[in-house]
Amino acid sequence: MTNRYINQKLTGYYLRLDGCIYNDFEGMKDNAEELLRQGYLLNDSYAQAYAFLHLASYYIAYRKFGSAEFNLNKSIRLCMTNDYDELLIQCYRNEGKLYQLKGDNFIATQVYDKIMKIAESKNDSKTIGILYNNIAYILMQLKDYEFAKNYFEKAIEKLQMTEHQNYNVTQIYLNLVRVCCDMNDLESAYAYLEKSKELSVNSNYVEFIRIVSEIRLCAIHHEVSQIKKLIDKINSIMVNFKGNHSIFAAELIYVIESLLIADMKEECYSVLEHVKQQLNDDDIEIELEYQKLLFKYQEKYEEINVDVSARYYYLLMTREKQELSSIAEALRNKIKLFEINQKHSLLVKENENLEKQAHLDELTGLYNRRYCDKLLSKIGSNSIEELFGCIMLDIDHFKQYNDTYGHVQGDNILKHVADVLKQNSVPGINVGRYGGDEFYCLCTGLTDHEISNYLSNVLNNLRELKFEHKKNISGIVSITAGFYNEIKSKMSIEEIMKCADEALYVAKERGRDNYFNLRDQKH
């Protein structure tokens, strides 16, 4: 075993425990308890967490939910305290399964959603596959068979991407047999049953599930003699099984449903009696299913017993109260989480606003020189092969404008020019004020033609506004611009900026109120 948390002195205990997981539940319990003892002796928190997790799995299998929850909480606390992330994911999977078996699909789905996000971030195909299966099972219980089938198939697809998953994949094939039976797609059901037989799995429990699934197919076709043979097989498995038969209770419920379909009264009564002996106060779901089927049995073959009806009604009301209580608790937690997230979002938004303000020019609302430097650094570090262009521009004879019309009016002109630059902007252009009456536009992924079109629109729009400027030759406010555009690998960012400055100088030499592309001079 290569797990960095495992004490080599305990390797044998881990191996013996793992060897029992799929085929010896009592051995799993014994080995988990022994590993726990050794974990306490060596003060090994990982061994303790691992042991508690597998004890929880044992009690979940036997539907002893109180003991399962106790051991699971112990494991979760140890995992969270010591950052055993992979083991914690397994704990959460068990937690979701526990809620699911207790009939609390609302909470189970929330737990699965939480684990799914973690598993996807780690690209954990095994966990994702198991979660798909568990979600599909909930959908099947809700009679949403088409979606359930889709999720079961996605689960197999994910699990087949990882090694040593025959046990899990076989179980999902058998789940598909059942959902296809519910959809009356018997051809697919038989195909999935055959696929389950092709995989090598050393587990009497899986073999039990396979036989139970086959009984349902035989029941649909009323193959009574074959059903009797299959019942003999499951009886043989239970007789030779080491441990309490309550582990088979959910599967026997499915057998009873099949026997009612096949109209096999005596066999149905026998299995009902067997399940009755396995009921425990912890498992309201199984007792509810048992009482429902007992009610159907009596309705079909005998007079309905008032006590049976009363018990069935009581269980329904108890589960409804539990569901409502669980939903209420979940909603309370969601509200608390929402309030925490809302406070966090406000702080994040405030920080974002402060950062945004630090990058904006106070007068024009454009990006400032600081942001220009930051953006240039980001563009320079980006390895993507693309065009980068820089436009440098300023207002013609702006000092004379200020001297003639005053600084307040000068500020207004700066705002108007900024508005024109923004309004004509296209994706790929970042507009900013460099300082004074100088502006910049950083262009990514744009051609020379696209940049020229942008500048033509800016110049024309500004001319149309006809802001008076007596000291300018045209008599109105105008701007002059220069730009250079090149593939980044051919020229550095600094060189492109320098060329844009040179282009602006050439444009001014040519009479202002125009723009110039330095490439035209170079060619």
Side-chain angles (χ1 to χ4, degrees):
M1 300 187 76
T2 58
N3 190 312
R4 64 193 176 95
Y5 294 115
I6 290 179
N7 185 329
Q8 294 306 306
K9 294 178 182 178
L10 299 178
T11 299
Y13 293 97
Y14 285 102
L15 290 172
R16 283 193 292 277
L17 174 52
D18 289 351
C20 296
I21 289 174
Y22 297 134
N23 55 16
D24 183 1
F25 288 98
E26 293 303 317
M28 181 171 76
K29 177 174 178 284
D30 292 342
N31 281 289
E33 287 175 342
E34 183 56 36
L35 178 61
L36 184 61
R37 279 192 288 272
Q38 294 299 320
Y40 280 131
L41 286 171
L42 296 174
N43 197 26
D44 185 335
S45 59
Y46 187 83
Q48 294 169 37
Y50 199 87
F52 279 127
L53 171 63
H54 287 81
L55 284 169
S57 297
Y58 168 83
Y59 288 115
I60 287 171
Y62 280 101
R63 306 181 74 93
K64 295 181 178 179
F65 301 138
S67 298
E69 195 167 354
F70 172 82
N71 285 280
L72 194 55
N73 286 336
K74 288 267 192 181
S75 186
I76 288 172
R77 279 197 291 273
L78 285 165
C79 289
M80 292 181 75
T81 302
N82 297 282
D83 295 325
Y84 303 144
D85 293 340
E86 290 185 12
L87 208 58
L88 185 61
I89 288 175
Q90 294 181 54
C91 287
Y92 285 144
R93 274 196 342 232
N94 269 3
E95 184 183 29
K97 186 70 174 175
L98 182 59
Y99 281 117
Q100 188 177 337
L101 291 175
K102 289 165 72 175
D104 198 338
N105 291 333
F106 181 80
I107 299 294
T109 305
Q110 287 190 317
V111 174
Y112 292 149
D113 183 56
K114 174 174 65 176
I115 314 168
M116 185 69 78
K117 289 173 183 172
I118 300 171
E120 286 174 342
S121 71
K122 295 179 177 291
N123 199 24
D124 182 350
S125 296
K126 178 184 175 182
T127 296
I128 294 170
I130 291 170
L131 291 174
Y132 278 154
N133 173 65
N134 294 350
I135 292 166
Y137 204 86
I138 291 173
L139 291 168
M140 186 168 70
Q141 288 176 317
L142 297 172
K143 303 188 187 305
D144 196 341
Y145 301 128
E146 196 65 49
F147 267 113
K149 183 172 182 283
N150 181 38
Y151 268 90
F152 281 135
E153 288 170 344
K154 285 168 71 175
I156 289 173
E157 185 182 331
K158 280 291 181 183
L159 288 170
Q160 285 177 335
M161 294 166 65
T162 59
E163 296 179 346
H164 312 303
Q165 293 304 311
N166 280 6
Y167 179 86
N168 289 319
V169 172
T170 301
Q171 283 199 308
I172 298 169
Y173 276 138
L174 295 172
N175 287 335
L176 278 162
V177 172
R178 298 180 185 192
V179 80
C180 287
C181 285
D182 290 328
M183 295 170 72
N184 204 29
D185 181 4
L186 302 184
E187 184 179 345
S188 296
Y190 277 112
Y192 284 124
L193 183 64
E194 289 306 309
K195 284 186 176 183
S196 76
K197 292 177 181 178
E198 291 169 6
L199 297 175
S200 175
V201 179
N202 180 25
S203 169
N204 286 330
Y205 181 66
V206 170
E207 182 60 24
F208 189 92
I209 297 171
R210 184 185 286 123
I211 296 167
V212 170
S213 300
E214 193 171 349
I215 287 173
R216 173 56 63 91
L217 281 165
C218 292
I220 292 169
H221 291 101
H222 291 274
E223 297 172 357
V224 173
S225 59
Q226 181 61 17
I227 292 173
K228 288 181 177 180
K229 292 177 184 176
L230 292 171
I231 287 176
D232 287 341
K233 286 185 179 181
I234 63 173
N235 282 334
S236 175
I237 290 173
M238 287 193 292
V239 166
N240 294 306
F241 184 76
K242 298 175 183 177
N244 194 306
H245 287 184
S246 61
I247 195 170
F248 300 113
E251 293 303 312
L252 291 174
I253 289 291
Y254 196 70
V255 171
I256 295 166
E257 290 177 353
S258 300
L259 294 173
L260 285 170
I261 292 169
D263 198 17
M264 297 174 68
K265 178 183 176 182
E266 289 181 12
E267 288 79 5
C268 189
Y269 179 81
S270 175
V271 180
L272 277 166
E273 284 297 302
H274 191 85
V275 172
K276 184 179 179 181
Q277 294 169 20
Q278 311 308 323
L279 297 177
N280 68 74
D281 294 336
D282 229 6
D283 194 354
I284 191 173
E285 284 300 304
I286 286 294
E287 188 179 354
L288 184 58
E289 288 300 312
Y290 165 79
Q291 292 293 342
K292 180 174 74 174
L293 292 173
L294 181 58
F295 185 87
K296 285 184 177 181
Y297 175 86
Q298 290 185 347
E299 188 177 41
K300 188 168 187 173
Y301 299 117
E302 304 171 358
E303 288 188 8
I304 294 173
N305 186 303
V306 175
D307 291 339
V308 170
S309 300
R311 179 65 179 166
Y312 184 35
Y313 177 77
Y314 168 76
L315 290 169
L316 281 172
M317 292 299 100
T318 302
R319 187 176 71 170
E320 186 175 335
K321 285 178 183 177
Q322 287 179 349
E323 286 178 349
L324 289 172
S325 174
S326 178
I327 291 170
E329 180 63 26
L331 288 173
R332 278 195 293 272
N333 290 335
K334 270 187 171 293
I335 290 167
K336 287 179 183 176
L337 186 60
F338 174 77
E339 289 173 347
I340 292 168
N341 287 339
Q342 196 174 40
K343 289 177 182 177
H344 176 68
S345 297
L346 286 171
L347 286 172
V348 169
K349 196 169 182 180
E350 284 178 13
N351 288 335
E352 286 174 351
N353 286 337
L354 287 170
E355 186 176 357
K356 190 175 180 182
Q357 287 169 16
H359 289 153
L360 294 181
D361 175 60
E362 190 175 347
L363 177 65
T364 63
L366 297 178
Y367 291 121
N368 56 20
R369 172 75 177 270
R370 180 182 175 186
Y371 183 77
C372 174
D373 294 339
K374 184 176 180 180
L375 191 57
L376 286 172
S377 175
K378 184 178 178 182
I379 293 168
S381 63
N382 189 339
S383 60
I384 296 173
E385 189 80 354
E386 63 181 352
L387 285 165
F388 169 70
C390 177
I391 303 169
M392 299 300 293
L393 62 95
D394 60 25
I395 300 172
D396 296 330
H397 304 299
F398 185 67
K399 182 180 183 304
Q400 289 91 326
Y401 185 91
N402 270 339
D403 292 342
T404 305
Y405 299 96
H407 288 285
V408 173
Q409 192 58 32
D411 285 350
N412 287 334
I413 286 299
L414 288 170
K415 291 177 188 176
H416 287 305
V417 170
D419 288 342
V420 172
L421 290 169
K422 279 191 290 188
Q423 288 161 8
N424 286 280
S425 182
V426 296
I429 294 182
N430 287 283
V431 183
R433 183 183 176 199
Y434 212 63
D437 67 314
E438 295 179 55
F439 296 85
Y440 66 85
C441 302
L442 304 182
C443 312
T444 52
L446 298 181
T447 63
D448 286 10
H449 180 68
E450 288 170 322
I451 295 174
S452 293
N453 279 345
Y454 168 68
L455 286 171
S456 294
N457 291 334
V458 168
L459 266 67
N460 288 331
N461 284 176
L462 190 58
R463 290 171 190 141
E464 289 168 2
L465 293 172
K466 296 182 179 178
F467 295 116
E468 185 183 75
H469 187 352
K470 293 176 183 178
K471 300 295 181 179
N472 201 11
I473 296 172
S474 64
I476 58 174
V477 171
S478 62
I479 62 169
T480 300
F483 79 91
Y484 194 70
N485 194 34
E486 187 56 271
I487 296 173
K488 286 191 297 177
S489 61
K490 293 184 178 181
M491 187 179 279
S492 71
I493 298 296
E494 291 76 14
E495 288 173 320
I496 293 171
M497 295 284 287
K498 187 178 179 181
C499 286
D501 265 330
E502 191 177 336
L504 175 60
Y505 175 77
V506 173
K508 287 181 178 181
E509 287 291 307
R510 294 188 173 197
R512 301 179 186 264
D513 192 16
N514 65 79
Y515 67 88
F516 183 71
N517 179 2
L518 194 66
R519 188 183 302 279
D520 295 340
Q521 188 181 71
K522 286 177 179 283
H523 293 295

